[in-house]
Amino acid sequence: MRTPAFSVLLLLLLSWSVCSWADGGKIRQKRMWIIESFAIEEESPGPFPYKIGNIHAEKAYLLKFELQGEGVDKEPKNLLTINDKADVYVHRKVDYESGQNILKLMFEAKNKSNNEVDIRLGVEIRILDINDHAPAFQKSVYEVTVDESQAQGTEVLTVLAHDNDNPTTSNGTFTYTIKSVTPKTENVEFYIRQHKESGSIYFKGCLDYEKAQKYTILVEAKDNGDKKQLSSTSTVIINIQDGNNNLPEFTGKTGPGKVKERETGVEVLRLQVTDKDKPGSKAWIAKYTINGDKENLFKIETDPVTNEGILTVVKAMDYEEQTHQNISIIVQNEVPYFSCKVKKQVPNAMWELDKIPQNPGASVASLYKTMQATIHVDDINDPPVFIPPVKNVPVLENTAIGTSLTTFIAKDTDGSHANTFKFVKGEDLDNWVTVDPVTGQVTTAKVLDRESPFVINDTYKVIVYAVDDGVPQLTGTGTLFIHVNDENDNVPILEMNRIDFCLNAEPTMANITAKDLDLPPYSSPFYYELLGDVKNKWRIDPIQGNTVTLVKEKDVFSGHQLLQIKISDQQGLYSIQNLSVTVCDCSVNSDCHVRMVSKARMGPTAALLVLLAILILIVMGLLALLISCKQEKKMIANDDAIGCLITTNTENPGTDCTVPFSIGVDKPDSANMHSSMHVSTNVKSSQNITSQTVIQKSQHAVSQAPQLLYDGQAFERSAYRRASIRSSFRSNYKVNTSYFGENLAVLINQKVLALQKREDELGVYEPHCYADEGKPTASSELDAISISEDDFHPDMLKTLDNRFSQLATISRPDLMRR
């Protein structure tokens, strides 16, 4: 309902509007005023529609009223209406939490006669909040794990809730309360502190895993509504993690408690402990520490299953240095030890506690348990020891064999097992040295070479062993590094001995490089010198260096050439290297040098022909062998020149006999030089000899031999007959090879003289250059070949077959007509 004050205010406004209109003459001034808003309570049950107020207007019967804006033609639409008496009605429920807490509208009063706006006012309608929402927790269940060593007053967990009601009213504010704690123990008390919408949970006293492993806390959030109060709850679960509030204690030890000298990786003791904390937790797992082990001879590890301490020897112990070792072992846990006891519960304050340690970070080492242990060392046979174990010896390469390099010294340090030992060579990859088994002297067994592939960084390695005669036999090791100093014992050589040039009018160049296995100053830079007739053809520029330039002058023609290059090192030691050079016309074919080389290679067709020829020769040889193996007896034709055998009509060999056969050969210029060959045969047969012929040439017949050896035609004519005679001899007789070998040199000399005489008859011609490859020839004529016209005589046909007569008639009719 409108109050009297509101009506008076409205009247004053209307009067002011009329005056303004009157002052403006014919122009009506319309002003907009904001009237105090109406109020709508959310979630009102109705009945609908219900009136929330009236907008007063003078002479309302002359006006018509309209509302525009939120709640009418804007969201939330169709919520409000106005009648012709300016009464405002609500048609349904509204929700404060929808986000629109104030509805802004425009009220207009129009003249019914001309529809002009006489009054325009702004109207606000406020939506009033009621307590229709309880506080809601962000989670229905919270869970956290806290170590039991956590100090009191430490925040454990924070909960969060929210109320959708108006936070500026009591409906939207709320309070946290701990409703219950399960289980309830005397050693701890939980409480909550609120910070606006959040609440943090704390505790007083001491957490103890042994008394409670988990706490369940029910937290309530209740709003402060006037008419009614709404609330909700959430469950907080606090898991207690076992802390190290119980120290481990030793209960015993097992194991031999001794170790053999030089043994490592051996378990000597196992230490047993007990701990009341949760098995498997960090508060239960034992952590061992060794005291009194200055040499770090031992290590101790924890058995993950039994929690025992395993003591192991990690560094070899020497009985001659110590017979036993005393140590102490301390046990603790992986997490620090603490203790907490409640002394007094103080209301509204932190409780009085008895804590160990009193201050964070304070040491509690004095509380840890300790066990003493003694580890004994058993004496065993010790190996020899080299003094020193490594030797470095410099030596010049090419040192003579038998040179002493060094002498190894070894010592047996075992007092209770005195032994003798010998030196044995171990690693010696190239067998450079020998080692005296008694004295240990190392001497060279071969000439040392720094360039050996077994020398790495100028160093050669030799390993020597000293082996004693104990049981078991033990071995000491000594190492010798031979540092080989360089000598100038290698000559420089070309890295590549073949090079290609293109045929150009201008000089062309190519690089050549030499290498020397020696080190400076016995190697590079090198000096290069071309040998032979190379003037205006080839030159080297510069003449000194690792890599120099070979220059081809314009007077060099195409083809293959062989250059000799003298390459000297810094000390003057040199070698003469052959460099194969191919010069070709690259303007015609860019790969002509490749083609020139490939032409000399055998193609597949040629290789096939060669293989076929070899197979034919093999087949012919096998056929000849089969024919020669037949037992057919052939007649031996008479040899008018130097016949050695005649037809004997001997069909079968008879009794054993010896047939002497001698041939004497004298050279034409020497009557004293002759050769005799005796042939003896042993023929065994059950048949008698039907005939036997012994031929002995006279001195006159022997004198015909030089003519046979030196006359080429006579030699050729009788070649077949001599071959038949030799074949017959091989088939029927066993040659006295001992006597034949004594005269073989004489026969060879005779053959050589005959061949030399035939070569002397041939003309020797110097080579002549007709044209260069790749250049046109000036003339296609070559030197005339002269053949004497009197090289054939018709009388020669008398000694030839009649077929040669027909050939001579066709080819030389002019001579045949004579």
Side-chain angles (χ1 to χ4, degrees):
M1 292 180 65
R2 290 181 297 174
T3 62
F6 178 75
S7 300
V8 172
L9 177 62
L10 181 59
L11 181 61
L12 290 174
L13 289 175
L14 292 173
S15 300
W16 182 83
S17 298
V18 172
C19 294
S20 298
W21 174 76
D23 292 339
K26 295 181 180 180
I27 299 175
R28 177 175 293 181
Q29 300 293 329
K30 295 181 283 294
R31 297 180 182 271
M32 183 178 72
W33 294 87
I34 298 177
I35 300 175
E36 181 67 25
S37 63
F38 300 106
I40 302 174
E41 188 176 82
E42 70 164 336
E43 301 297 332
S44 175
F48 300 104
Y50 64 88
K51 180 180 175 181
I52 61 171
N54 176 266
I55 301 176
H56 178 74
E58 295 293 336
K59 299 181 181 181
Y61 60 92
L62 298 176
L63 302 173
K64 60 179 180 180
F65 307 103
E66 292 182 359
L67 279 177
Q68 299 176 1
E70 297 175 343
V72 178
D73 55 358
K74 294 182 180 180
E75 293 295 335
K77 293 181 179 180
N78 304 320
L79 176 64
L80 303 172
T81 58
I82 189 170
N83 60 14
D84 55 359
K85 296 180 181 180
D87 295 326
V88 180
Y89 288 88
V90 178
H91 289 265
R92 66 175 184 270
K93 292 181 179 181
V94 293
D95 187 5
Y96 178 87
E97 288 76 27
S98 65
Q100 288 182 304
N101 302 327
I102 298 177
L103 302 179
K104 295 180 179 181
L105 301 96
M106 179 66 65
F107 169 78
E108 290 182 350
K110 295 181 180 180
N111 194 309
K112 292 182 179 179
S113 61
N114 54 15
N115 204 33
E116 290 184 359
V117 177
D118 289 339
I119 302 174
R120 179 176 291 157
L121 299 175
V123 179
E124 288 186 354
I125 299 177
R126 293 181 298 107
I127 298 175
L128 301 178
D129 184 33
I130 64 172
N131 190 15
D132 59 342
H133 291 88
F137 281 91
Q138 190 178 53
K139 295 180 181 180
S140 61
V141 177
Y142 292 84
E143 188 169 6
V144 68
T145 300
V146 180
D147 193 286
E148 69 172 336
S149 62
Q150 193 78 264
Q152 67 173 346
T154 304
E155 180 181 313
V156 176
L157 180 69
T158 297
V159 296
L160 182 65
H162 176 71
D163 195 325
N164 289 329
D165 292 326
N166 188 354
T168 61
T169 65
S170 60
N171 296 331
T173 60
F174 55 89
T175 305
Y176 291 107
T177 306
I178 294 179
K179 301 299 291 182
S180 65
V181 177
T182 306
K184 189 168 184 64
T185 57
E186 296 179 355
N187 59 294
V188 66
E189 180 182 299
F190 293 95
Y191 61 95
I192 190 168
R193 289 178 180 174
Q194 185 166 348
H195 307 280
K196 294 184 179 180
E197 292 187 344
S198 65
S200 298
I201 299 177
Y202 301 84
F203 76 93
K204 294 185 284 186
C206 300
L207 298 175
D208 191 344
Y209 178 83
E210 283 72 26
K211 291 185 178 180
Q213 290 80 40
K214 180 176 71 172
Y215 289 95
T216 302
I217 302 175
L218 185 63
V219 179
E220 180 188 62
K222 179 183 290 187
D223 65 24
N224 302 313
D226 293 333
K227 296 179 180 180
K228 62 177 179 179
Q229 296 179 343
L230 303 177
S231 65
S232 63
T233 60
S234 178
T235 301
V236 177
I237 299 174
I238 301 176
N239 297 303
I240 308 302
Q241 183 176 358
D242 189 19
N244 188 20
N245 56 354
N246 294 283
L247 287 173
E249 297 183 1
F250 285 102
T251 59
K253 61 181 178 181
T254 58
K258 61 181 179 179
V259 63
K260 295 180 180 179
E261 63 175 336
R262 298 193 312 278
E263 268 191 340
T264 58
V266 179
E267 178 184 315
V268 292
L269 281 180
R270 274 184 174 260
L271 310 177
Q272 290 81 38
V273 295
T274 183
D275 195 315
K276 296 180 180 179
D277 291 316
K278 180 181 177 181
S281 66
K282 292 184 178 180
W284 176 83
I285 298 174
K287 179 180 178 182
Y288 299 90
T289 307
I290 302 174
N291 286 340
D293 183 18
K294 297 181 180 180
E295 300 295 329
N296 297 320
L297 302 173
F298 306 96
K299 75 172 181 179
I300 189 165
E301 297 174 317
T302 303
D303 190 314
V305 177
T306 64
N307 215 22
E308 294 177 318
I310 305 173
L311 184 66
T312 306
V313 179
V314 295
K315 189 175 181 180
M317 303 175 67
D318 191 349
Y319 179 83
E320 283 68 33
E321 295 180 359
Q322 61 181 138
T323 60
H324 63 279
Q325 175 70 45
N326 294 322
I327 58 175
S328 60
I329 301 172
I330 300 172
V331 63
Q332 58 187 25
N333 297 113
E334 287 190 352
V335 294
Y337 170 75
F338 83 97
S339 176
C340 181
K341 303 295 182 183
V342 178
K343 294 173 62 178
K344 182 180 181 181
Q345 295 181 357
V346 180
N348 302 322
M350 294 293 111
W351 294 357
E352 294 181 6
L353 305 176
D354 185 5
K355 295 181 62 178
I356 300 176
Q358 291 292 339
N359 300 313
S363 176
V364 293
S366 59
L367 302 176
Y368 296 149
K369 306 300 181 182
T370 303
M371 174 175 282
Q372 304 296 327
T374 301
I375 308 301
H376 298 276
V377 182
D378 290 344
D379 187 22
I380 62 173
N381 184 26
D382 292 318
V385 178
F386 280 84
I387 305 175
V390 178
K391 284 194 171 187
N392 294 273
V393 176
V395 64
L396 193 65
E397 69 171 331
N398 301 316
T399 298
I401 297 175
T403 302
S404 176
L405 299 179
T406 187
T407 299
F408 275 105
I409 298 175
K411 178 183 178 182
D412 191 346
T413 59
D414 197 345
S416 60
H417 297 83
N419 301 303
T420 60
F421 53 86
K422 61 181 179 180
F423 295 95
V424 178
K425 184 175 71 171
E427 178 183 330
D428 183 9
L429 298 179
D430 202 20
N431 294 319
W432 276 20
V433 301
T434 59
V435 179
D436 189 294
V438 178
T439 64
Q441 184 180 24
V442 181
T443 57
T444 58
K446 63 190 305 184
V447 177
L448 308 186
D449 184 10
R450 190 195 65 84
E451 291 74 33
S452 169
F454 301 100
V455 176
I456 300 175
N457 296 329
D458 300 337
T459 303
Y460 184 80
K461 179 181 178 182
V462 176
I463 294 180
V464 178
Y465 300 120
V467 184
D468 66 14
D469 56 358
V471 179
Q473 286 186 325
L474 297 179
T475 301
T477 303
T479 304
L480 172 62
F481 290 105
I482 303 175
H483 302 278
V484 186
N485 297 325
D486 192 24
E487 272 193 342
N488 194 13
D489 58 344
N490 291 281
V491 295
I493 60 174
L494 289 174
E495 287 188 352
M496 295 185 63
N497 58 3
R498 181 183 177 278
I499 197 169
D500 301 322
F501 279 91
C502 288
L503 185 64
N504 295 326
E506 299 298 328
T508 55
M509 297 176 292
N511 290 335
I512 57 174
T513 304
K515 61 181 180 180
D516 194 327
L517 296 178
D518 293 324
L519 297 175
Y522 304 121
S523 57
S524 62
F526 307 111
Y527 296 91
Y528 294 81
E529 179 184 355
L530 281 170
L531 304 180
D533 183 15
V534 295
K535 186 176 182 181
N536 297 328
K537 296 180 181 179
W538 304 93
R539 60 184 173 89
I540 291 178
D541 185 27
I543 63 172
Q544 183 181 7
N546 290 352
T547 300
V548 296
T549 302
L550 176 64
V551 182
K552 180 187 73 64
E553 302 290 358
K554 60 182 179 179
D555 292 342
V556 178
F557 301 103
S558 63
H560 293 284
Q561 300 189 32
L562 187 66
L563 300 181
Q564 287 191 325
I565 304 177
K566 179 181 178 181
I567 308 175
S568 306
D569 62 18
Q570 289 295 295
Q571 306 302 321
L573 190 64
Y574 68 89
S575 68
I576 297 177
Q577 299 285 300
N578 291 328
L579 179 64
S580 177
V581 182
T582 301
V583 182
C584 57
D585 190 355
C586 300
S587 62
V588 178
N589 291 303
S590 59
D591 59 343
C592 60
H593 59 282
V594 177
R595 296 178 58 190
M596 293 173 65
V597 175
S598 63
K599 286 180 180 179
R601 299 176 181 173
M602 181 181 294
T605 304
L608 183 60
L609 292 176
V610 170
L611 181 61
L612 183 60
I614 294 174
L615 293 176
I616 292 173
L617 290 175
I618 293 174
V619 172
M620 292 178 64
L622 293 175
L623 291 175
L625 180 61
L626 292 174
I627 294 173
S628 64
C629 292
K630 292 182 178 180
Q631 297 299 324
E632 181 182 356
K633 305 298 181 180
K634 296 183 178 180
M635 298 298 294
I636 301 176
N638 293 328
D639 191 345
D640 296 336
I642 56 170
C644 296
L645 298 177
I646 63 174
T647 302
T648 61
N649 290 327
T650 301
E651 296 180 0
N652 295 302
T655 59
D656 295 346
C657 62
T658 300
V659 180
F661 177 68
S662 64
I663 299 177
V665 180
D666 294 334
K667 293 180 63 176
D669 298 333
S670 178
N672 296 326
M673 182 177 180
H674 66 278
S675 175
S676 300
M677 180 173 69
H678 296 276
V679 180
S680 63
T681 63
N682 294 322
V683 182
K684 296 182 180 181
S685 177
S686 60
Q687 301 177 2
N688 295 326
I689 299 176
T690 58
S691 63
Q692 178 177 345
T693 304
V694 178
I695 300 175
Q696 185 173 2
K697 303 299 286 184
S698 63
Q699 186 69 28
H700 174 73
V702 173
S703 66
Q704 303 299 323
Q707 180 182 2
L708 180 63
L709 293 173
Y710 295 104
D711 189 337
Q713 294 180 354
F715 182 81
E716 291 176 357
R717 286 195 301 270
S718 60
Y720 177 76
R721 287 191 289 272
R722 289 197 302 274
S724 299
I725 294 171
R726 288 193 297 270
S727 177
S728 177
F729 264 80
R730 285 194 298 268
S731 301
N732 298 282
Y733 301 98
K734 294 183 178 178
V735 182
N736 190 337
T737 56
S738 175
Y739 185 79
F740 180 76
E742 296 174 358
N743 298 275
L744 180 60
V746 177
L747 295 177
I748 292 174
N749 290 332
Q750 293 173 359
K751 293 288 186 179
V752 172
L753 290 174
L755 294 175
Q756 289 177 351
K757 182 176 181 182
R758 294 179 65 187
E759 291 176 356
D760 293 339
E761 296 175 358
L762 302 176
V764 178
Y765 297 93
E766 294 293 332
H768 178 72
C769 180
Y770 294 98
D772 293 326
E773 179 184 13
K775 292 184 178 181
T777 57
S779 174
S780 60
E781 294 182 0
L782 301 177
D783 292 346
I785 300 175
S786 61
I787 302 175
S788 60
E789 298 295 334
D790 55 351
D791 60 341
F792 177 76
H793 195 274
D795 294 338
M796 297 174 61
L797 297 175
K798 296 178 182 180
T799 61
L800 300 175
D801 192 89
N802 57 355
R803 289 175 293 179
F804 290 96
S805 299
Q806 296 176 4
L807 179 62
T809 303
I810 296 172
S811 60
R812 297 299 297 271
D814 53 334
L815 296 179
M816 296 302 295
R817 288 193 295 268
R818 294 180 184 177

